[in-house]
Amino acid sequence: RPTAIRLSDSGSVKKNISNSRTLYFHTTYILPTATMKISPLTSLTTFAATLACVQSFQTASTSRVSSVAPLRSTVSPEVDTSSPTNVTGELLKRDRYVATNRFTVRKGREAKFEQRWATRSSRLASLEGFRYFHLMRRVSLDNEVNSGIDPMGETDAFGNYVSFTIWKEKKDFNAWRGGEAFKEAHGGTSLFAFVTTMVSSAMVLQGAPKPAFYDGLLQQSIIPESVPETVDGWRKVDADGTNILPAECFVACNQFFVRPENAVAFEQRWANRTSKLKDCDGFVSFSMLRRDAKAKGHGIAPMGEEEPTYMSCTIWRDRDAFNNWRNGNAFKEAHGATEKKEDGEDVKPPMPLWSKPPEPVFYEGTLVISSTEGA
């Protein structure tokens, strides 16, 4: 028998699933999944998991305000919303709060997925505390620009697309997550819109989205000469669902697996390193992302050992700008070209602070939205 999804006029949702064949939302409309091109079990599993993920973004969390303290970043001194810390012997204070959601998009459905993002109802750019957004699709350095090739589509458990939003403070993110703008963007304005969004997700995604939240440390960014035009807070671009969207930036990330006892030393090493990123042509933004492992909500799974605790994230105007930096002197200085002692002997590099070697990952960003102040 075709599996049925039952909905109520009231729109209330029971969190429990009575059995593996039927999701009970009381009774009114019945949508048979037999008309879909994916199996009923797959659609319902994805539906339930995606619902849990949506709830996770809506679970509010609290933040603490500490006294103003200088940070080794280019962010103006301001009230910080992280736990009280300093740069001498404790974890760094955050400059930004970064919310991401990781998606595994079914092969051949990439353009449909991007179309959904391009045509969604959102007023993100108009919200208090918003700084920057883009949708990232994973690529290899060997890929041609806009090739749409996913180099690890069959092996990586954490997806091939990432939504990436930078907020000025964590409280700004929480206000969005608990407000009407979140419901509008996620199809929650009506029962029909919500169900349409969930069913569409089941047909495009493989498994549920995996949210991850970060403290943005050592933030550096430029003030953009111009920003992409938005209408009512969101980009309006042509998306036909057949061709992927044009690449609008290039994102280079390096994933670090740092044990808790090494976290302070790791952050201090980054705070004290030489960097000339802001002097490089095509540089947009940098942040060292520290995983907010305390983030709570339905659908947020505990962070496993296979996930990085830190991730450097550098946004470039395009891939050429990244390659020019990587092949230039600024890269060598930042990555510790071999130093010499006074007697001419090489200075030994510092001991690594991670449990396994860093893992680089690269993305093309599209649907870029930026505040006039930059990230």
Side-chain angles (χ1 to χ4, degrees), residues 6-73:
R6 302 187 181 183
L7 315 174
S8 69
D9 289 323
S10 64
S12 61
V13 178
K14 277 190 175 182
K15 293 184 179 179
N16 62 304
I17 300 176
S18 298
N19 55 55
S20 62
R21 294 190 59 78
T22 306
L23 296 179
Y24 286 94
F25 297 69
H26 306 307
T27 56
T28 299
Y29 310 108
I30 298 179
L31 303 178
T33 59
T35 59
M36 300 180 186
K37 295 182 180 180
I38 56 177
S39 69
L41 179 59
T42 299
S43 65
L44 283 181
T45 301
T46 305
F47 181 94
T50 305
L51 173 60
C53 180
V54 170
Q55 290 174 325
S56 74
F57 272 91
Q58 289 182 304
T59 303
S61 61
T62 59
S63 59
R64 293 176 289 177
V65 178
S66 67
S67 59
V68 176
L71 299 178
R72 293 175 181 175
S73 68

Side-chain angles (χ1 to χ4, degrees), residues 250-313:
F250 187 78
V251 186
C253 300
N254 211 1
Q255 301 174 110
F256 298 94
F257 304 82
V258 181
R259 297 186 185 280
E261 61 268 23
N262 292 333
V264 171
F266 177 80
E267 293 183 10
Q268 290 299 314
R269 186 174 293 180
W270 274 84
N272 293 322
R273 72 184 302 183
T274 300
S275 175
K276 296 182 179 179
L277 282 173
K278 293 191 71 175
D279 298 329
C280 297
D281 179 55
F283 169 76
V284 176
S285 173
F286 168 84
S287 186
M288 172 57 72
L289 304 181
R290 177 179 61 206
R291 183 70 176 267
D292 182 5
K294 296 181 180 180
K296 297 180 180 179
H298 298 291
I300 300 179
M303 188 177 69
E305 292 184 358
E306 74 281 5
E307 296 192 58
T309 49
Y310 288 86
M311 183 169 64
S312 64
C313 181

Side-chain angles (χ1 to χ4, degrees), residues 141-170:
L141 287 178
D142 298 329
N143 295 161
E144 295 181 4
V145 175
N146 242 74
S147 67
I149 298 174
D150 173 15
M152 298 179 65
E154 305 299 326
T155 59
D156 196 319
F158 298 108
N160 49 3
Y161 277 83
V162 182
S163 63
F164 183 92
T165 311
I166 300 177
W167 296 91
K168 183 178 180 181
E169 298 182 12
K170 187 174 182 178

Side-chain angles (χ1 to χ4, degrees), residues 338-348:
T338 303
E339 299 180 20
K340 299 286 186 180
K341 296 181 181 179
E342 292 183 0
D343 58 8
E345 292 184 9
D346 291 344
V347 176
K348 292 183 178 180

